[in-house]
PDB file of all heavy atoms in Angstrom:
ATOM      1  N   ALA A  70      12.571  -3.899  20.896  1.00 92.00           N
ATOM      2  CA  ALA A  70      12.465  -3.506  19.485  1.00 92.00           C
ATOM      3  C   ALA A  70      11.173  -4.040  18.870  1.00 92.00           C
ATOM      4  O   ALA A  70      10.471  -3.325  18.156  1.00 92.00           O
ATOM      5  CB  ALA A  70      13.671  -4.027  18.707  1.00 92.00           C
ATOM      6  N   LEU A  71      10.866  -5.303  19.164  1.00 92.00           N
ATOM      7  CA  LEU A  71       9.627  -5.869  18.625  1.00 92.00           C
ATOM      8  C   LEU A  71       8.416  -5.134  19.183  1.00 92.00           C
ATOM      9  O   LEU A  71       7.502  -4.753  18.441  1.00 92.00           O
ATOM     10  CB  LEU A  71       9.521  -7.362  18.949  1.00 92.00           C
ATOM     11  CG  LEU A  71       8.191  -8.000  18.505  1.00 92.00           C
ATOM     12  CD1 LEU A  71       8.061  -8.007  16.989  1.00 92.00           C
ATOM     13  CD2 LEU A  71       8.053  -9.416  19.047  1.00 92.00           C
ATOM     14  N   ASN A  72       8.425  -4.923  20.481  1.00 94.00           N
ATOM     15  CA  ASN A  72       7.287  -4.240  21.103  1.00 94.00           C
ATOM     16  C   ASN A  72       7.099  -2.842  20.512  1.00 94.00           C
ATOM     17  O   ASN A  72       5.969  -2.437  20.199  1.00 94.00           O
ATOM     18  CB  ASN A  72       7.498  -4.145  22.609  1.00 94.00           C
ATOM     19  CG  ASN A  72       6.289  -3.553  23.314  1.00 94.00           C
ATOM     20  OD1 ASN A  72       5.188  -4.076  23.224  1.00 94.00           O
ATOM     21  ND2 ASN A  72       6.490  -2.433  23.989  1.00 94.00           N
ATOM     22  N   ALA A  73       8.189  -2.126  20.326  1.00 94.00           N
ATOM     23  CA  ALA A  73       8.104  -0.775  19.762  1.00 94.00           C
ATOM     24  C   ALA A  73       7.565  -0.821  18.342  1.00 94.00           C
ATOM     25  O   ALA A  73       6.754   0.027  17.939  1.00 94.00           O
ATOM     26  CB  ALA A  73       9.485  -0.115  19.781  1.00 94.00           C
ATOM     27  N   HIS A  74       7.989  -1.831  17.597  1.00 93.00           N
ATOM     28  CA  HIS A  74       7.539  -1.949  16.208  1.00 93.00           C
ATOM     29  C   HIS A  74       6.051  -2.257  16.148  1.00 93.00           C
ATOM     30  O   HIS A  74       5.311  -1.676  15.350  1.00 93.00           O
ATOM     31  CB  HIS A  74       8.352  -3.039  15.504  1.00 93.00           C
ATOM     32  CG  HIS A  74       8.355  -2.898  14.021  1.00 93.00           C
ATOM     33  ND1 HIS A  74       7.585  -3.691  13.199  1.00 93.00           N
ATOM     34  CD2 HIS A  74       9.012  -2.043  13.210  1.00 93.00           C
ATOM     35  CE1 HIS A  74       7.785  -3.334  11.943  1.00 93.00           C
ATOM     36  NE2 HIS A  74       8.647  -2.341  11.913  1.00 93.00           N
ATOM     37  N   VAL A  75       5.605  -3.173  16.990  1.00 95.00           N
ATOM     38  CA  VAL A  75       4.181  -3.530  16.993  1.00 95.00           C
ATOM     39  C   VAL A  75       3.348  -2.352  17.499  1.00 95.00           C
ATOM     40  O   VAL A  75       2.262  -2.067  16.971  1.00 95.00           O
ATOM     41  CB  VAL A  75       3.936  -4.796  17.847  1.00 95.00           C
ATOM     42  CG1 VAL A  75       2.442  -5.089  17.968  1.00 95.00           C
ATOM     43  CG2 VAL A  75       4.639  -5.996  17.227  1.00 95.00           C
ATOM     44  N   GLU A  76       3.863  -1.646  18.506  1.00 95.00           N
ATOM     45  CA  GLU A  76       3.141  -0.468  19.010  1.00 95.00           C
ATOM     46  C   GLU A  76       3.000   0.581  17.903  1.00 95.00           C
ATOM     47  O   GLU A  76       1.949   1.206  17.748  1.00 95.00           O
ATOM     48  CB  GLU A  76       3.880   0.130  20.214  1.00 95.00           C
ATOM     49  CG  GLU A  76       3.828  -0.726  21.470  1.00 95.00           C
ATOM     50  CD  GLU A  76       2.502  -0.609  22.201  1.00 95.00           C
ATOM     51  OE1 GLU A  76       1.737   0.307  21.900  1.00 95.00           O
ATOM     52  OE2 GLU A  76       2.231  -1.474  23.052  1.00 95.00           O
ATOM     53  N   ALA A  77       4.072   0.791  17.161  1.00 95.00           N
ATOM     54  CA  ALA A  77       4.037   1.776  16.075  1.00 95.00           C
ATOM     55  C   ALA A  77       3.025   1.367  15.015  1.00 95.00           C
ATOM     56  O   ALA A  77       2.275   2.197  14.484  1.00 95.00           O
ATOM     57  CB  ALA A  77       5.422   1.923  15.455  1.00 95.00           C
ATOM     58  N   ARG A  78       2.986   0.080  14.731  1.00 94.00           N
ATOM     59  CA  ARG A  78       2.008  -0.414  13.763  1.00 94.00           C
ATOM     60  C   ARG A  78       0.590  -0.207  14.304  1.00 94.00           C
ATOM     61  O   ARG A  78      -0.329   0.154  13.563  1.00 94.00           O
ATOM     62  CB  ARG A  78       2.267  -1.905  13.476  1.00 94.00           C
ATOM     63  CG  ARG A  78       1.643  -2.409  12.206  1.00 94.00           C
ATOM     64  CD  ARG A  78       1.936  -3.888  12.001  1.00 94.00           C
ATOM     65  NE  ARG A  78       3.317  -4.192  11.683  1.00 94.00           N
ATOM     66  CZ  ARG A  78       3.853  -4.054  10.466  1.00 94.00           C
ATOM     67  NH1 ARG A  78       3.134  -3.591   9.481  1.00 94.00           N
ATOM     68  NH2 ARG A  78       5.109  -4.376  10.256  1.00 94.00           N
ATOM     69  N   GLY A  79       0.437  -0.414  15.593  1.00 95.00           N
ATOM     70  CA  GLY A  79      -0.869  -0.198  16.215  1.00 95.00           C
ATOM     71  C   GLY A  79      -1.294   1.260  16.140  1.00 95.00           C
ATOM     72  O   GLY A  79      -2.471   1.564  15.912  1.00 95.00           O
ATOM     73  N   ASN A  80      -0.348   2.153  16.352  1.00 95.00           N
ATOM     74  CA  ASN A  80      -0.675   3.580  16.262  1.00 95.00           C
ATOM     75  C   ASN A  80      -1.142   3.944  14.849  1.00 95.00           C
ATOM     76  O   ASN A  80      -2.067   4.746  14.681  1.00 95.00           O
ATOM     77  CB  ASN A  80       0.544   4.421  16.652  1.00 95.00           C
ATOM     78  CG  ASN A  80       0.854   4.316  18.126  1.00 95.00           C
ATOM     79  OD1 ASN A  80      -0.029   3.980  18.935  1.00 95.00           O
ATOM     80  ND2 ASN A  80       2.093   4.580  18.503  1.00 95.00           N
ATOM     81  N   LEU A  81      -0.493   3.345  13.867  1.00 93.00           N
ATOM     82  CA  LEU A  81      -0.908   3.601  12.478  1.00 93.00           C
ATOM     83  C   LEU A  81      -2.329   3.085  12.237  1.00 93.00           C
ATOM     84  O   LEU A  81      -3.167   3.788  11.662  1.00 93.00           O
ATOM     85  CB  LEU A  81       0.067   2.924  11.506  1.00 93.00           C
ATOM     86  CG  LEU A  81      -0.325   2.980  10.027  1.00 93.00           C
ATOM     87  CD1 LEU A  81      -0.277   4.416   9.513  1.00 93.00           C
ATOM     88  CD2 LEU A  81       0.586   2.093   9.190  1.00 93.00           C
ATOM     89  N   VAL A  82      -2.573   1.873  12.694  1.00 93.00           N
ATOM     90  CA  VAL A  82      -3.902   1.273  12.499  1.00 93.00           C
ATOM     91  C   VAL A  82      -4.970   2.118  13.195  1.00 93.00           C
ATOM     92  O   VAL A  82      -6.028   2.396  12.627  1.00 93.00           O
ATOM     93  CB  VAL A  82      -3.901  -0.175  13.043  1.00 93.00           C
ATOM     94  CG1 VAL A  82      -5.321  -0.711  13.158  1.00 93.00           C
ATOM     95  CG2 VAL A  82      -3.060  -1.077  12.143  1.00 93.00           C
ATOM     96  N   ARG A  83      -4.680   2.547  14.414  1.00 93.00           N
ATOM     97  CA  ARG A  83      -5.670   3.331  15.174  1.00 93.00           C
ATOM     98  C   ARG A  83      -5.882   4.721  14.577  1.00 93.00           C
ATOM     99  O   ARG A  83      -6.930   5.333  14.790  1.00 93.00           O
ATOM    100  CB  ARG A  83      -5.212   3.473  16.624  1.00 93.00           C
ATOM    101  CG  ARG A  83      -5.271   2.196  17.424  1.00 93.00           C
ATOM    102  CD  ARG A  83      -4.956   2.428  18.894  1.00 93.00           C
ATOM    103  NE  ARG A  83      -4.586   1.202  19.554  1.00 93.00           N
ATOM    104  CZ  ARG A  83      -3.325   0.777  19.692  1.00 93.00           C
ATOM    105  NH1 ARG A  83      -2.322   1.509  19.243  1.00 93.00           N
ATOM    106  NH2 ARG A  83      -3.070  -0.368  20.284  1.00 93.00           N
TER     107      ARG A  83
END
Side-chain angles (χ1 to χ4, degrees):
Chain A
L71 176 66
N72 185 58
H74 202 257
V75 174
E76 290 282 346
R78 199 180 290 280
N80 290 337
L81 174 67
V82 167
R83 290 186 199 93

